[in-house]
Amino acid sequence: MSKEPHPTPPVGKPTLKTVAQATGYAVTTVSRALSNDPKIAQSTRDTVAKAAKSLGYVPDRAAQRLRTGRTKVISLLINPGHEYLGFTHVLLNGITAALKGTGYSVTITPDFIDSDRVSAIENILRNNLADGIVLSRTECFDPRVRLLLEKDFPFVSHGRTEFTTQHAFVDFDNEAFARQAVKWLLKAGRKRLMIVLPQAQFTFSQHLRFGFLSEVREAGIDHIIPENLTIDTPPAEIARQLTSLLLSESPPDGIVCVGEVMALAALAAIDDAGMVAGDQVDMLIKQASPVFDLMRPKFRSIFEDVEMTGRAMGEILLRRIDGAPPETLQRIIAPVDGPHLSG
């Protein structure tokens, strides 16, 4: 039978002992109840949680760390610039949803893709700053992944690698996206297609290239892949070079936009070239936010669910921290037709 708590305002910072006195349970029972131990009756856990909330009890992370050896922290390494609008916010929503109720918090570490990407990992490992790491913008032979595999440290990557050693990952099927994008543009009657890719070292760049080239070659149509542009080129420069291509003797009439930032640059270029999107040139956008749903005219899109990705990565990382084998912690998310793909 559960005990009804009668909390009184504590003197100083409330502790486990404060909650134990308020509920009548032993300190060890309170500790296990707050850790959501399934061996503790649900009624007891509810009573303890109610008392802890009333008293304003907050777990002492330093004490927990000494007792368990865990920091209760997940470190997210993220590139400050991204091809999606609001990418970090949406991804973080998914990760924190997966961590809800676990006691874990998330710290964000900038991951600048044009600098040393290993030093941040080394700092986390050296100073025991996290129990697990979430990586983004994964490379084919990512040095961060190599180091974490060598150290047997829990992590999950957004994207696959070419390593033979298995590791946890969540990835979007970019090859399927590129194939679907080309097929739609061909269906719309376009004859000369263009795509601006990520930098070649990123695995998803290889998947996009393979999917795009496979479809245009099978269809026997002309195509453009600018080698001096990537999706990380400043948007104004992308727009400037696209404008020149659109005004050339052999302009593209269909553009596969890998992300919303690329789509905005393409729209600027189309306007600067005196053209109309949907008339002289069509765009197919890889979309992750609702921004383009509100734009007129409506643009064709294929949806990447970034929040689902974050939630999956959070769930997978928790399982990896608990010792699940990495080969069971791999997920590829399929593209979904955007609201305006048909027609």
Side-chain angles (χ1 to χ4, degrees), residues 90-211:
V90 177
L91 185 74
L92 196 56
N93 279 348
I95 294 173
T96 54
L99 301 180
K100 186 177 180 180
T102 67
Y104 272 97
S105 60
V106 181
T107 61
I108 298 178
T109 301
D111 175 38
F112 298 100
I113 60 175
D114 56 353
S115 61
D116 179 11
R117 307 184 79 197
V118 176
S119 59
I121 302 290
E122 291 174 332
N123 183 57
I124 292 168
L125 298 180
R126 182 171 55 251
N127 295 296
N128 190 27
L129 299 180
D131 297 330
I133 293 175
V134 178
L135 303 176
S136 63
R137 279 297 185 95
T138 305
E139 300 178 23
C140 298
F141 295 99
D142 200 306
R144 304 168 303 166
V145 171
R146 181 184 289 110
L147 175 60
L148 290 167
L149 286 172
E150 289 173 355
K151 299 296 184 181
D152 194 27
F153 190 85
F155 74 95
V156 60
S157 63
H158 185 200
R160 287 162 277 178
T161 67
E162 298 295 329
F163 292 122
T164 55
T165 304
Q166 297 291 311
H167 65 82
F169 68 77
V170 178
D171 201 4
F172 177 73
D173 195 339
N174 281 287
E175 179 186 336
F177 158 76
R179 288 180 179 275
Q180 291 176 25
V182 170
K183 286 176 179 176
W184 185 87
L185 289 168
L186 292 176
K187 184 180 177 182
R190 300 307 176 177
K191 304 295 184 183
R192 182 171 167 82
L193 305 188
M194 185 185 76
I195 187 171
V196 176
L197 294 170
Q199 295 178 41
Q201 74 265 29
F202 298 120
T203 314
F204 80 125
S205 178
Q206 306 307 314
H207 295 163
L208 287 164
R209 180 184 290 270
F210 182 78

Side-chain angles (χ1 to χ4, degrees), residues 40-104:
I40 301 296
Q42 185 63 54
S43 59
T44 300
R45 283 182 272 166
D46 292 343
T47 298
V48 171
K50 182 178 179 181
K53 184 177 180 180
S54 298
L55 292 164
Y57 169 75
V58 177
D60 187 329
R61 288 191 177 275
Q64 286 183 334
R65 186 168 178 171
L66 287 172
R67 185 172 66 255
T68 66
R70 288 190 174 182
T71 64
K72 301 299 286 186
V73 171
I74 299 297
S75 186
L76 168 63
L77 273 67
I78 198 79
N79 176 31
H82 207 275
E83 67 269 20
Y84 286 136
L85 302 173
F87 174 84
T88 301
H89 171 73
V90 177
L91 185 74
L92 196 56
N93 279 348
I95 294 173
T96 54
L99 301 180
K100 186 177 180 180
T102 67
Y104 272 97

